[in-house]
Amino acid sequence: MTDYYDYVLGFVPLALVGLTGVLGAAGVDFPLAVLVGAVTASLAVGHALFVNGPVQERIAVEEAPIHSSTATDRPSINAD
């Protein structure tokens, strides 16, 4: 089953290579075409990371108990 991030991973090379090729065929200078393709791919990755970022689902407390350290867990150190 494809997810949002699968589409993003497919879009990155498509944007970089495809957009560069289309702009190059349209007569745009090659460095500018590569720049536009790279910026488009970078925006897609930035959106996937920061705007629609991956979120870890919450695990029920019964399934994963959390161990909290307290002062009694550590060995006592005497300064004398």
Side-chain angles (χ1 to χ4, degrees):
M1 180 173 195
T2 56
D3 195 12
Y4 169 75
Y5 300 103
D6 297 325
Y7 291 124
V8 170
L9 287 175
F11 178 74
V12 168
L14 180 70
L16 186 57
V17 175
L19 195 56
T20 300
V22 167
L23 289 174
V28 177
D29 289 336
F30 184 70
L32 181 61
V34 170
L35 178 67
V36 170
V39 166
T40 304
S42 299
L43 287 175
V45 170
H47 185 272
L49 286 174
F50 300 112
V51 176
N52 193 12
V55 178
Q56 182 179 6
E57 293 184 22
R58 297 187 144 227
I59 301 172
V61 175
E62 296 83 22
E63 295 176 11
I66 299 173
H67 175 72
S68 62
S69 64
T70 60
T72 59
D73 292 343
R74 293 183 224 131
S76 63
I77 299 174
N78 191 355
D80 291 328

Short mmCIF file of all heavy atoms in Angstrom, two decimals:
data_model
loop_
_atom_site.label_atom_id
_atom_site.label_comp_id
_atom_site.label_asym_id
_atom_site.label_seq_id
_atom_site.Cartn_x
_atom_site.Cartn_y
_atom_site.Cartn_z
N MET A 1 0.85 -1.17 0.00
CA MET A 1 0.00 0.00 0.00
C MET A 1 0.89 1.24 0.00
O MET A 1 1.76 1.39 0.84
CB MET A 1 -0.88 -0.05 1.23
CG MET A 1 -1.80 1.11 1.37
SD MET A 1 -2.92 0.82 2.75
CE MET A 1 -4.11 2.03 2.39
N THR A 2 0.68 2.09 -0.95
CA THR A 2 1.52 3.29 -1.06
C THR A 2 1.04 4.36 -0.08
O THR A 2 -0.14 4.53 0.16
CB THR A 2 1.50 3.84 -2.49
OG1 THR A 2 0.15 4.08 -2.88
CG2 THR A 2 2.13 2.85 -3.44
N ASP A 3 2.00 5.06 0.45
CA ASP A 3 1.74 6.09 1.45
C ASP A 3 2.22 7.43 0.88
O ASP A 3 2.82 7.49 -0.18
CB ASP A 3 2.50 5.74 2.73
CG ASP A 3 2.03 6.52 3.94
OD1 ASP A 3 0.98 7.16 3.85
OD2 ASP A 3 2.72 6.47 4.97
N TYR A 4 1.97 8.49 1.61
CA TYR A 4 2.38 9.83 1.18
C TYR A 4 3.88 9.89 0.93
O TYR A 4 4.34 10.47 -0.05
CB TYR A 4 1.95 10.84 2.26
CG TYR A 4 2.54 12.21 2.09
CD1 TYR A 4 2.05 13.07 1.11
CD2 TYR A 4 3.57 12.66 2.90
CE1 TYR A 4 2.57 14.34 0.95
CE2 TYR A 4 4.10 13.92 2.75
CZ TYR A 4 3.60 14.75 1.78
OH TYR A 4 4.13 16.00 1.62
N TYR A 5 4.65 9.28 1.82
CA TYR A 5 6.10 9.34 1.70
C TYR A 5 6.62 8.52 0.53
O TYR A 5 7.67 8.83 -0.03
CB TYR A 5 6.75 8.92 3.03
CG TYR A 5 6.30 9.82 4.14
CD1 TYR A 5 5.34 9.42 5.05
CD2 TYR A 5 6.80 11.11 4.23
CE1 TYR A 5 4.91 10.27 6.05
CE2 TYR A 5 6.37 11.97 5.22
CZ TYR A 5 5.42 11.54 6.13
OH TYR A 5 4.99 12.40 7.11
N ASP A 6 5.90 7.49 0.13
CA ASP A 6 6.26 6.74 -1.08
C ASP A 6 6.10 7.63 -2.32
O ASP A 6 6.93 7.59 -3.22
CB ASP A 6 5.40 5.49 -1.22
CG ASP A 6 5.62 4.51 -0.09
OD1 ASP A 6 6.77 4.42 0.39
OD2 ASP A 6 4.65 3.85 0.31
N TYR A 7 5.05 8.40 -2.34
CA TYR A 7 4.85 9.33 -3.45
C TYR A 7 5.94 10.41 -3.47
O TYR A 7 6.41 10.81 -4.54
CB TYR A 7 3.47 9.99 -3.38
CG TYR A 7 2.34 9.03 -3.66
CD1 TYR A 7 1.32 8.85 -2.74
CD2 TYR A 7 2.30 8.31 -4.84
CE1 TYR A 7 0.28 7.98 -3.00
CE2 TYR A 7 1.28 7.43 -5.11
CZ TYR A 7 0.26 7.27 -4.19
OH TYR A 7 -0.75 6.39 -4.45
N VAL A 8 6.32 10.89 -2.30
CA VAL A 8 7.38 11.90 -2.24
C VAL A 8 8.69 11.32 -2.74
O VAL A 8 9.41 11.97 -3.52
CB VAL A 8 7.53 12.44 -0.79
CG1 VAL A 8 8.78 13.30 -0.67
CG2 VAL A 8 6.31 13.23 -0.39
N LEU A 9 9.01 10.09 -2.34
CA LEU A 9 10.24 9.46 -2.80
C LEU A 9 10.22 9.23 -4.31
O LEU A 9 11.26 9.26 -4.96
CB LEU A 9 10.46 8.13 -2.07
CG LEU A 9 10.90 8.26 -0.62
CD1 LEU A 9 10.96 6.88 0.03
CD2 LEU A 9 12.23 8.95 -0.52
N GLY A 10 9.08 8.99 -4.87
CA GLY A 10 8.97 8.85 -6.32
C GLY A 10 9.02 10.19 -7.04
O GLY A 10 9.49 10.28 -8.18
N PHE A 11 8.53 11.23 -6.38
CA PHE A 11 8.49 12.55 -7.01
C PHE A 11 9.85 13.21 -7.07
O PHE A 11 10.12 14.00 -7.99
CB PHE A 11 7.51 13.45 -6.23
CG PHE A 11 7.42 14.85 -6.77
CD1 PHE A 11 6.75 15.10 -7.95
CD2 PHE A 11 8.02 15.90 -6.10
CE1 PHE A 11 6.67 16.39 -8.46
CE2 PHE A 11 7.95 17.19 -6.60
CZ PHE A 11 7.26 17.43 -7.79
N VAL A 12 10.72 12.91 -6.11
CA VAL A 12 12.03 13.58 -6.06
C VAL A 12 12.84 13.36 -7.33
O VAL A 12 13.27 14.33 -7.97
CB VAL A 12 12.80 13.19 -4.78
CG1 VAL A 12 14.23 13.63 -4.85
CG2 VAL A 12 12.12 13.78 -3.57
N PRO A 13 13.10 12.11 -7.77
CA PRO A 13 13.86 11.97 -9.02
C PRO A 13 13.07 12.42 -10.24
O PRO A 13 13.65 12.91 -11.21
CB PRO A 13 14.18 10.47 -9.09
CG PRO A 13 13.22 9.82 -8.18
CD PRO A 13 12.86 10.82 -7.13
N LEU A 14 11.76 12.28 -10.18
CA LEU A 14 10.93 12.75 -11.30
C LEU A 14 11.06 14.26 -11.46
O LEU A 14 11.20 14.77 -12.57
CB LEU A 14 9.48 12.36 -11.07
CG LEU A 14 8.50 12.77 -12.16
CD1 LEU A 14 8.75 11.95 -13.42
CD2 LEU A 14 7.08 12.58 -11.68
N ALA A 15 11.02 14.98 -10.35
CA ALA A 15 11.16 16.43 -10.41
C ALA A 15 12.55 16.83 -10.85
O ALA A 15 12.72 17.73 -11.68
CB ALA A 15 10.83 17.05 -9.05
N LEU A 16 13.56 16.16 -10.31
CA LEU A 16 14.93 16.54 -10.62
C LEU A 16 15.28 16.23 -12.07
O LEU A 16 15.74 17.11 -12.80
CB LEU A 16 15.90 15.82 -9.68
CG LEU A 16 17.36 16.21 -9.78
CD1 LEU A 16 17.54 17.70 -9.55
CD2 LEU A 16 18.19 15.43 -8.79
N VAL A 17 15.04 15.01 -12.50
CA VAL A 17 15.41 14.62 -13.86
C VAL A 17 14.37 15.06 -14.88
O VAL A 17 14.71 15.62 -15.93
CB VAL A 17 15.63 13.09 -13.93
CG1 VAL A 17 15.91 12.64 -15.35
CG2 VAL A 17 16.75 12.67 -13.01
N GLY A 18 13.11 14.84 -14.56
CA GLY A 18 12.04 15.16 -15.51
C GLY A 18 11.90 16.64 -15.77
O GLY A 18 11.82 17.08 -16.92
N LEU A 19 11.87 17.42 -14.73
CA LEU A 19 11.73 18.87 -14.89
C LEU A 19 12.95 19.47 -15.55
O LEU A 19 12.84 20.37 -16.39
CB LEU A 19 11.47 19.52 -13.54
CG LEU A 19 10.95 20.95 -13.53
CD1 LEU A 19 9.67 21.05 -14.35
CD2 LEU A 19 10.70 21.41 -12.13
N THR A 20 14.13 18.94 -15.22
CA THR A 20 15.36 19.40 -15.88
C THR A 20 15.31 19.09 -17.37
O THR A 20 15.67 19.93 -18.20
CB THR A 20 16.59 18.74 -15.23
OG1 THR A 20 16.62 19.11 -13.86
CG2 THR A 20 17.86 19.19 -15.90
N GLY A 21 14.86 17.89 -17.71
CA GLY A 21 14.77 17.52 -19.12
C GLY A 21 13.74 18.32 -19.89
O GLY A 21 13.99 18.74 -21.02
N VAL A 22 12.60 18.55 -19.28
CA VAL A 22 11.55 19.32 -19.95
C VAL A 22 12.00 20.76 -20.16
O VAL A 22 11.82 21.34 -21.24
CB VAL A 22 10.24 19.26 -19.14
CG1 VAL A 22 9.23 20.28 -19.63
CG2 VAL A 22 9.65 17.86 -19.21
N LEU A 23 12.59 21.35 -19.14
CA LEU A 23 13.06 22.74 -19.28
C LEU A 23 14.23 22.83 -20.25
O LEU A 23 14.35 23.81 -21.00
CB LEU A 23 13.46 23.31 -17.92
CG LEU A 23 12.30 23.60 -16.96
CD1 LEU A 23 12.84 24.02 -15.60
CD2 LEU A 23 11.37 24.64 -17.52
N GLY A 24 15.10 21.82 -20.24
CA GLY A 24 16.21 21.81 -21.19
C GLY A 24 15.71 21.69 -22.63
O GLY A 24 16.25 22.32 -23.54
N ALA A 25 14.69 20.87 -22.84
CA ALA A 25 14.12 20.73 -24.18
C ALA A 25 13.38 21.99 -24.62
O ALA A 25 13.26 22.25 -25.83
CB ALA A 25 13.16 19.54 -24.22
N ALA A 26 12.90 22.75 -23.66
CA ALA A 26 12.19 23.99 -23.99
C ALA A 26 13.15 25.13 -24.28
O ALA A 26 12.70 26.23 -24.63
CB ALA A 26 11.26 24.37 -22.83
N GLY A 27 14.46 24.90 -24.10
CA GLY A 27 15.43 25.93 -24.44
C GLY A 27 16.01 26.69 -23.26
O GLY A 27 16.77 27.64 -23.45
N VAL A 28 15.66 26.29 -22.06
CA VAL A 28 16.21 26.94 -20.87
C VAL A 28 17.65 26.45 -20.69
O VAL A 28 17.96 25.30 -20.95
CB VAL A 28 15.36 26.61 -19.63
CG1 VAL A 28 15.96 27.21 -18.37
CG2 VAL A 28 13.93 27.08 -19.82
N ASP A 29 18.54 27.33 -20.25
CA ASP A 29 19.93 26.95 -20.00
C ASP A 29 19.98 25.79 -19.02
O ASP A 29 19.21 25.71 -18.05
CB ASP A 29 20.72 28.13 -19.43
CG ASP A 29 20.96 29.21 -20.46
OD1 ASP A 29 20.95 28.88 -21.67
OD2 ASP A 29 21.18 30.37 -20.03
N PHE A 30 20.94 24.88 -19.24
CA PHE A 30 21.04 23.67 -18.43
C PHE A 30 21.25 23.95 -16.94
O PHE A 30 20.57 23.35 -16.10
CB PHE A 30 22.14 22.76 -18.98
CG PHE A 30 22.25 21.45 -18.25
CD1 PHE A 30 21.26 20.49 -18.39
CD2 PHE A 30 23.33 21.19 -17.42
CE1 PHE A 30 21.36 19.28 -17.72
CE2 PHE A 30 23.43 19.99 -16.75
CZ PHE A 30 22.44 19.03 -16.90
N PRO A 31 22.15 24.85 -16.54
CA PRO A 31 22.31 25.10 -15.09
C PRO A 31 21.04 25.64 -14.44
O PRO A 31 20.71 25.27 -13.30
CB PRO A 31 23.43 26.14 -15.02
CG PRO A 31 24.20 25.95 -16.27
CD PRO A 31 23.19 25.55 -17.30
N LEU A 32 20.30 26.46 -15.15
CA LEU A 32 19.05 26.98 -14.60
C LEU A 32 17.99 25.88 -14.52
O LEU A 32 17.23 25.81 -13.54
CB LEU A 32 18.53 28.14 -15.45
CG LEU A 32 17.24 28.81 -14.98
CD1 LEU A 32 17.43 29.39 -13.59
CD2 LEU A 32 16.79 29.86 -15.96
N ALA A 33 17.96 25.00 -15.51
CA ALA A 33 17.00 23.90 -15.50
C ALA A 33 17.29 22.95 -14.33
O ALA A 33 16.37 22.48 -13.66
CB ALA A 33 17.04 23.15 -16.82
N VAL A 34 18.57 22.67 -14.09
CA VAL A 34 18.95 21.81 -12.96
C VAL A 34 18.59 22.49 -11.65
O VAL A 34 18.09 21.84 -10.72
CB VAL A 34 20.45 21.47 -13.01
CG1 VAL A 34 20.90 20.80 -11.73
CG2 VAL A 34 20.77 20.61 -14.21
N LEU A 35 18.80 23.78 -11.56
CA LEU A 35 18.47 24.52 -10.34
C LEU A 35 16.98 24.46 -10.06
O LEU A 35 16.56 24.23 -8.92
CB LEU A 35 18.93 25.97 -10.47
CG LEU A 35 18.61 26.88 -9.28
CD1 LEU A 35 19.42 26.43 -8.07
CD2 LEU A 35 18.90 28.32 -9.62
N VAL A 36 16.17 24.66 -11.08
CA VAL A 36 14.71 24.62 -10.88
C VAL A 36 14.27 23.22 -10.47
O VAL A 36 13.43 23.06 -9.56
CB VAL A 36 13.98 25.09 -12.16
CG1 VAL A 36 12.49 24.82 -12.07
CG2 VAL A 36 14.24 26.55 -12.41
N GLY A 37 14.83 22.19 -11.09
CA GLY A 37 14.49 20.82 -10.71
C GLY A 37 14.92 20.50 -9.29
O GLY A 37 14.19 19.86 -8.53
N ALA A 38 16.11 20.95 -8.90
CA ALA A 38 16.60 20.68 -7.56
C ALA A 38 15.80 21.43 -6.50
O ALA A 38 15.52 20.89 -5.42
CB ALA A 38 18.08 21.07 -7.46
N VAL A 39 15.41 22.65 -6.79
CA VAL A 39 14.60 23.42 -5.83
C VAL A 39 13.24 22.77 -5.66
O VAL A 39 12.71 22.66 -4.54
CB VAL A 39 14.49 24.89 -6.28
CG1 VAL A 39 13.40 25.62 -5.50
CG2 VAL A 39 15.82 25.60 -6.11
N THR A 40 12.65 22.30 -6.76
CA THR A 40 11.35 21.63 -6.68
C THR A 40 11.45 20.34 -5.86
O THR A 40 10.60 20.08 -5.01
CB THR A 40 10.84 21.31 -8.10
OG1 THR A 40 10.80 22.51 -8.86
CG2 THR A 40 9.45 20.70 -8.05
N ALA A 41 12.49 19.55 -6.09
CA ALA A 41 12.68 18.33 -5.31
C ALA A 41 12.94 18.65 -3.84
O ALA A 41 12.42 17.97 -2.95
CB ALA A 41 13.83 17.52 -5.90
N SER A 42 13.71 19.69 -3.58
CA SER A 42 13.99 20.09 -2.19
C SER A 42 12.74 20.57 -1.47
O SER A 42 12.55 20.29 -0.29
CB SER A 42 15.04 21.19 -2.16
OG SER A 42 16.24 20.73 -2.72
N LEU A 43 11.89 21.28 -2.18
CA LEU A 43 10.63 21.73 -1.57
C LEU A 43 9.74 20.54 -1.22
O LEU A 43 9.06 20.55 -0.19
CB LEU A 43 9.91 22.69 -2.51
CG LEU A 43 10.52 24.08 -2.63
CD1 LEU A 43 9.78 24.90 -3.69
CD2 LEU A 43 10.48 24.80 -1.29
N ALA A 44 9.73 19.52 -2.08
CA ALA A 44 8.92 18.33 -1.79
C ALA A 44 9.45 17.61 -0.55
O ALA A 44 8.67 17.19 0.32
CB ALA A 44 8.92 17.40 -2.99
N VAL A 45 10.76 17.49 -0.43
CA VAL A 45 11.35 16.84 0.74
C VAL A 45 11.12 17.68 1.99
O VAL A 45 10.79 17.17 3.06
CB VAL A 45 12.85 16.58 0.52
CG1 VAL A 45 13.52 16.13 1.81
CG2 VAL A 45 13.06 15.56 -0.57
N GLY A 46 11.28 19.00 1.87
CA GLY A 46 11.02 19.88 3.01
C GLY A 46 9.59 19.82 3.47
O GLY A 46 9.30 19.83 4.68
N HIS A 47 8.66 19.73 2.54
CA HIS A 47 7.25 19.60 2.91
C HIS A 47 6.99 18.29 3.62
O HIS A 47 6.27 18.24 4.62
CB HIS A 47 6.37 19.71 1.66
CG HIS A 47 4.91 19.70 1.97
ND1 HIS A 47 4.19 18.55 2.07
CD2 HIS A 47 4.05 20.72 2.21
CE1 HIS A 47 2.93 18.85 2.36
NE2 HIS A 47 2.82 20.16 2.46
N ALA A 48 7.62 17.22 3.13
CA ALA A 48 7.41 15.91 3.74
C ALA A 48 8.02 15.84 5.14
O ALA A 48 7.51 15.12 6.00
CB ALA A 48 8.01 14.82 2.86
N LEU A 49 9.10 16.57 5.38
CA LEU A 49 9.75 16.51 6.68
C LEU A 49 9.16 17.47 7.71
O LEU A 49 8.98 17.12 8.87
CB LEU A 49 11.24 16.80 6.54
CG LEU A 49 12.09 15.70 5.94
CD1 LEU A 49 13.51 16.19 5.75
CD2 LEU A 49 12.07 14.48 6.83
N PHE A 50 8.89 18.69 7.28
CA PHE A 50 8.56 19.73 8.25
C PHE A 50 7.09 20.12 8.28
O PHE A 50 6.57 20.47 9.33
CB PHE A 50 9.41 20.97 8.00
CG PHE A 50 10.88 20.69 8.12
CD1 PHE A 50 11.70 20.75 7.01
CD2 PHE A 50 11.43 20.33 9.32
CE1 PHE A 50 13.04 20.48 7.11
CE2 PHE A 50 12.78 20.06 9.45
CZ PHE A 50 13.59 20.13 8.33
N VAL A 51 6.40 20.09 7.15
CA VAL A 51 4.99 20.47 7.14
C VAL A 51 4.11 19.27 7.44
O VAL A 51 3.22 19.33 8.28
CB VAL A 51 4.61 21.11 5.78
CG1 VAL A 51 3.13 21.42 5.73
CG2 VAL A 51 5.43 22.36 5.54
N ASN A 52 4.36 18.18 6.74
CA ASN A 52 3.59 16.96 6.93
C ASN A 52 4.53 15.88 7.47
O ASN A 52 4.68 14.82 6.87
CB ASN A 52 2.95 16.54 5.61
CG ASN A 52 1.90 15.48 5.78
OD1 ASN A 52 1.48 15.21 6.88
ND2 ASN A 52 1.49 14.88 4.69
N GLY A 53 5.17 16.16 8.57
CA GLY A 53 6.21 15.29 9.11
C GLY A 53 5.70 13.96 9.61
O GLY A 53 4.53 13.82 9.95
N PRO A 54 6.59 12.99 9.63
CA PRO A 54 6.19 11.68 10.14
C PRO A 54 5.94 11.76 11.65
O PRO A 54 6.68 12.41 12.37
CB PRO A 54 7.39 10.80 9.83
CG PRO A 54 8.53 11.72 9.67
CD PRO A 54 7.97 13.01 9.18
N VAL A 55 4.90 11.10 12.08
CA VAL A 55 4.52 11.12 13.49
C VAL A 55 4.48 9.69 13.99
O VAL A 55 3.88 8.82 13.36
CB VAL A 55 3.13 11.78 13.68
CG1 VAL A 55 2.73 11.77 15.14
CG2 VAL A 55 3.14 13.19 13.14
N GLN A 56 5.14 9.45 15.10
CA GLN A 56 5.10 8.12 15.69
C GLN A 56 3.78 7.95 16.42
O GLN A 56 3.37 8.82 17.19
CB GLN A 56 6.26 7.95 16.67
CG GLN A 56 6.32 6.58 17.27
CD GLN A 56 7.50 6.45 18.22
OE1 GLN A 56 8.18 7.43 18.49
NE2 GLN A 56 7.72 5.27 18.72
N GLU A 57 3.12 6.84 16.15
CA GLU A 57 1.84 6.60 16.81
C GLU A 57 2.07 6.30 18.28
O GLU A 57 3.08 5.72 18.66
CB GLU A 57 1.13 5.42 16.14
CG GLU A 57 0.70 5.73 14.73
CD GLU A 57 -0.07 4.59 14.12
OE1 GLU A 57 -0.62 3.77 14.88
OE2 GLU A 57 -0.13 4.52 12.89
N ARG A 58 1.13 6.71 19.09
CA ARG A 58 1.26 6.48 20.52
C ARG A 58 1.05 5.02 20.83
O ARG A 58 0.16 4.37 20.30
CB ARG A 58 0.24 7.32 21.29
CG ARG A 58 0.47 8.78 21.11
CD ARG A 58 -0.43 9.57 21.99
NE ARG A 58 0.37 10.72 22.41
CZ ARG A 58 0.45 11.13 23.65
NH1 ARG A 58 -0.22 10.54 24.59
NH2 ARG A 58 1.18 12.16 23.97
N ILE A 59 1.88 4.49 21.71
CA ILE A 59 1.79 3.10 22.13
C ILE A 59 1.06 3.07 23.46
O ILE A 59 1.29 3.91 24.34
CB ILE A 59 3.20 2.49 22.27
CG1 ILE A 59 3.93 2.58 20.93
CG2 ILE A 59 3.13 1.06 22.74
CD1 ILE A 59 5.38 2.18 21.01
N ALA A 60 0.19 2.12 23.61
CA ALA A 60 -0.57 2.00 24.84
C ALA A 60 0.37 1.78 26.01
O ALA A 60 1.43 1.17 25.89
CB ALA A 60 -1.56 0.85 24.74
N VAL A 61 -0.01 2.27 27.17
CA VAL A 61 0.83 2.19 28.36
C VAL A 61 1.05 0.73 28.76
O VAL A 61 2.12 0.36 29.21
CB VAL A 61 0.20 2.99 29.52
CG1 VAL A 61 0.99 2.82 30.80
CG2 VAL A 61 0.07 4.44 29.14
N GLU A 62 0.06 -0.12 28.55
CA GLU A 62 0.20 -1.52 28.93
C GLU A 62 1.24 -2.24 28.08
O GLU A 62 1.88 -3.17 28.53
CB GLU A 62 -1.14 -2.26 28.79
CG GLU A 62 -2.23 -1.76 29.71
CD GLU A 62 -2.93 -0.53 29.16
OE1 GLU A 62 -2.89 -0.31 27.94
OE2 GLU A 62 -3.51 0.22 29.95
N GLU A 63 1.42 -1.82 26.84
CA GLU A 63 2.34 -2.48 25.94
C GLU A 63 3.79 -2.07 26.19
O GLU A 63 4.69 -2.88 26.04
CB GLU A 63 1.98 -2.17 24.49
CG GLU A 63 0.64 -2.73 24.08
CD GLU A 63 0.27 -2.33 22.68
OE1 GLU A 63 1.14 -1.79 21.96
OE2 GLU A 63 -0.87 -2.54 22.30
N ALA A 64 4.03 -0.83 26.53
CA ALA A 64 5.39 -0.34 26.70
C ALA A 64 5.50 0.45 28.00
O ALA A 64 5.28 1.66 28.01
CB ALA A 64 5.80 0.53 25.53
N PRO A 65 5.83 -0.21 29.09
CA PRO A 65 5.97 0.53 30.35
C PRO A 65 7.19 1.45 30.28
O PRO A 65 8.21 1.11 29.70
CB PRO A 65 6.16 -0.56 31.39
CG PRO A 65 6.67 -1.73 30.64
CD PRO A 65 6.08 -1.63 29.25
N ILE A 66 7.04 2.60 30.85
CA ILE A 66 8.11 3.59 30.85
C ILE A 66 8.87 3.50 32.16
O ILE A 66 8.28 3.53 33.24
CB ILE A 66 7.54 5.01 30.66
CG1 ILE A 66 6.82 5.08 29.32
CG2 ILE A 66 8.63 6.05 30.76
CD1 ILE A 66 6.08 6.38 29.12
N HIS A 67 10.19 3.34 32.07
CA HIS A 67 11.03 3.28 33.26
C HIS A 67 11.55 4.68 33.55
O HIS A 67 12.24 5.27 32.73
CB HIS A 67 12.21 2.32 33.05
CG HIS A 67 13.16 2.30 34.20
ND1 HIS A 67 12.85 1.72 35.39
CD2 HIS A 67 14.41 2.80 34.32
CE1 HIS A 67 13.86 1.86 36.21
NE2 HIS A 67 14.83 2.52 35.60
N SER A 68 11.22 5.18 34.70
CA SER A 68 11.73 6.49 35.07
C SER A 68 12.81 6.30 36.13
O SER A 68 12.66 5.55 37.08
CB SER A 68 10.61 7.37 35.62
OG SER A 68 10.08 6.78 36.79
N SER A 69 13.91 6.96 35.91
CA SER A 69 15.01 6.85 36.87
C SER A 69 14.77 7.80 38.03
O SER A 69 14.34 8.93 37.86
CB SER A 69 16.34 7.14 36.19
OG SER A 69 16.35 8.47 35.75
N THR A 70 15.04 7.31 39.20
CA THR A 70 14.91 8.14 40.40
C THR A 70 16.25 8.18 41.10
O THR A 70 17.20 7.51 40.71
CB THR A 70 13.83 7.56 41.35
OG1 THR A 70 14.23 6.24 41.72
CG2 THR A 70 12.47 7.52 40.67
N ALA A 71 16.31 8.90 42.15
CA ALA A 71 17.57 9.03 42.90
C ALA A 71 17.96 7.70 43.54
O ALA A 71 19.14 7.45 43.78
CB ALA A 71 17.43 10.10 43.97
N THR A 72 17.02 6.83 43.82
CA THR A 72 17.35 5.55 44.45
C THR A 72 17.95 4.57 43.46
O THR A 72 18.56 3.58 43.86
CB THR A 72 16.10 4.93 45.09
OG1 THR A 72 15.11 4.75 44.08
CG2 THR A 72 15.56 5.83 46.19
N ASP A 73 17.82 4.81 42.16
CA ASP A 73 18.39 3.93 41.15
C ASP A 73 19.89 4.11 41.01
O ASP A 73 20.58 3.21 40.55
CB ASP A 73 17.74 4.16 39.79
CG ASP A 73 16.28 3.72 39.78
OD1 ASP A 73 15.89 2.95 40.68
OD2 ASP A 73 15.55 4.13 38.86
N ARG A 74 20.38 5.24 41.40
CA ARG A 74 21.81 5.54 41.24
C ARG A 74 22.58 5.21 42.52
O ARG A 74 22.06 5.39 43.61
CB ARG A 74 21.99 7.02 40.90
CG ARG A 74 21.43 7.37 39.55
CD ARG A 74 21.69 8.81 39.21
NE ARG A 74 20.45 9.33 38.65
CZ ARG A 74 19.85 10.43 39.01
NH1 ARG A 74 20.37 11.19 39.91
NH2 ARG A 74 18.73 10.80 38.45
N PRO A 75 23.81 4.76 42.36
CA PRO A 75 24.61 4.51 43.58
C PRO A 75 24.94 5.82 44.28
O PRO A 75 25.14 6.85 43.66
CB PRO A 75 25.86 3.84 43.05
CG PRO A 75 25.97 4.24 41.62
CD PRO A 75 24.56 4.44 41.16
N SER A 76 24.97 5.75 45.59
CA SER A 76 25.28 6.95 46.35
C SER A 76 26.78 7.22 46.32
O SER A 76 27.59 6.31 46.37
CB SER A 76 24.78 6.81 47.79
OG SER A 76 25.46 5.75 48.40
N ILE A 77 27.12 8.48 46.23
CA ILE A 77 28.52 8.89 46.20
C ILE A 77 28.78 9.73 47.43
O ILE A 77 28.10 10.74 47.66
CB ILE A 77 28.84 9.68 44.92
CG1 ILE A 77 28.58 8.80 43.69
CG2 ILE A 77 30.27 10.19 44.94
CD1 ILE A 77 28.72 9.54 42.38
N ASN A 78 29.78 9.32 48.18
CA ASN A 78 30.12 10.04 49.39
C ASN A 78 31.31 10.95 49.09
O ASN A 78 32.32 10.52 48.59
CB ASN A 78 30.47 9.07 50.51
CG ASN A 78 30.56 9.75 51.85
OD1 ASN A 78 30.47 10.96 51.93
ND2 ASN A 78 30.75 8.97 52.90
N ALA A 79 31.20 12.21 49.42
CA ALA A 79 32.25 13.16 49.13
C ALA A 79 33.40 13.09 50.14
O ALA A 79 34.45 13.67 49.93
CB ALA A 79 31.69 14.59 49.12
N ASP A 80 33.22 12.37 51.23
CA ASP A 80 34.28 12.30 52.26
C ASP A 80 35.32 11.30 51.92
O ASP A 80 35.35 10.27 51.53
CB ASP A 80 33.68 11.98 53.63
CG ASP A 80 32.87 13.18 54.12
OD1 ASP A 80 33.23 14.32 53.79
OD2 ASP A 80 31.89 12.95 54.85
#
